[in-house]
Amino acid sequence: MKRLLRTILPPPLVTRLREARTLPPDRRSTYLRLQAARLLGLRQDRLPSLPDSNPLVVFVCHGNIIRSPMAAALFATSAAARRSPPVRVVSAGLFAVPGRPADPRALRAAVEAGSPLESHRAQLLTRPLVDSATVLFVMDRLNEAELVCRFPDAAGRTLLLGAFARDPGSGAGTRDAAIDDPVEGTLDDVRACCRRIRSAVDAVVERWMSPGRPDGP
């Protein structure tokens, strides 16, 4: 039966089912609900309007040592290059070890991208940070499910960053917006992740900071 399902179902859907099986029951139900809503077009990644004062953009991943710190640094660099209005930008991890520095591969990739991370120290995603956030960008579907399960009221402000990348790939009925964790990969894998993150944050900054541009991917 499993072999038959793998033959019939689109590969991205098989991936989602495999991911769901790795989760405890409460996280699994949240994950499946979110994915069903996406496949039915009931949940979409659309940028909110930035408030006139003190907006806060939070980038979230698992450990806050590779993807989310690179995203925050690249966003700040991109926004500064466009001389955009002031926006606070931070990163956090759902399972971060507070005070941990960025992964050495991320340090290398970020320097090469012009957004150094030497001063970065990991922090946990907390309730005050979630409550203050204008938008929370997560890196993958597991991040999304974990965040929404912990903070259900933030579901409407939680977006998949990869949905805004200019090379999003394809998915089962929707674009595959996951930016996978390269923690088990090589330096080149981290570099590739950095390039995809840069594509996404540049698109977000452009849409937010350019007058008359529509919200959403």
Side-chain angles (χ1 to χ4, degrees):
M1 179 61 72
K2 290 181 180 178
R3 287 195 296 270
L4 178 61
L5 288 175
R6 284 196 294 268
T7 302
I8 295 173
L9 297 176
L13 186 54
V14 173
T15 299
R16 285 161 172 74
L17 292 174
R18 285 175 177 166
E19 284 184 341
R21 290 178 60 190
T22 68
L23 299 172
D26 57 340
R27 268 52 175 172
R28 186 183 307 148
S29 61
T30 299
Y31 176 98
L32 292 172
R33 174 172 53 82
L34 291 169
Q35 293 310 306
R38 286 186 181 282
L39 292 173
L40 293 171
L42 302 176
R43 180 173 176 81
Q44 299 180 3
D45 297 283
R46 295 196 174 276
L47 295 173
S49 298
L50 280 178
D52 293 334
S53 62
N54 212 30
L56 174 63
V57 178
V58 182
F59 292 95
V60 182
C61 69
H62 184 91
N64 194 214
I65 59 170
I66 299 180
R67 292 173 294 174
S68 58
M70 288 196 303
L74 289 165
F75 184 96
T77 299
S78 184
R82 287 174 171 80
R83 298 182 180 180
S84 64
V87 178
R88 291 182 297 151
V89 185
V90 300
S91 66
L94 291 157
F95 300 96
V97 177
R100 189 177 177 186
D103 183 284
R105 295 163 297 174
L107 289 170
R108 175 83 172 270
V111 167
E112 293 171 354
S115 301
L117 293 176
E118 282 80 5
S119 63
H120 171 76
R121 295 296 180 268
Q123 66 171 337
L124 281 166
L125 184 68
T126 62
R127 166 55 72 180
L129 197 54
V130 170
D131 287 345
S132 300
T134 303
V135 62
L136 300 116
F137 286 108
V138 293
M139 300 296 147
D140 58 44
R141 295 175 293 268
L142 296 176
N143 297 160
E144 180 186 41
E146 182 68 30
L147 195 157
V148 171
C149 199
R150 292 188 197 181
F151 308 102
D153 54 303
R157 292 178 286 130
T158 301
L159 309 180
L160 283 165
L161 178 63
F164 301 91
R166 295 184 173 93
D167 55 343
S170 61
T174 184
R175 295 183 297 177
D176 187 0
I179 298 176
D180 294 328
D181 193 349
V183 67
E184 300 295 334
T186 65
L187 173 59
D188 283 341
D189 293 325
V190 175
R191 285 170 171 153
C193 179
C194 185
R195 288 194 296 270
R196 185 136 190 265
I197 289 172
R198 185 170 195 166
S199 172
V201 299
D202 282 349
V204 169
V205 170
E206 181 181 349
R207 287 168 182 167
W208 259 339
M209 310 308 175
S210 298
R213 291 301 298 271
D215 290 343

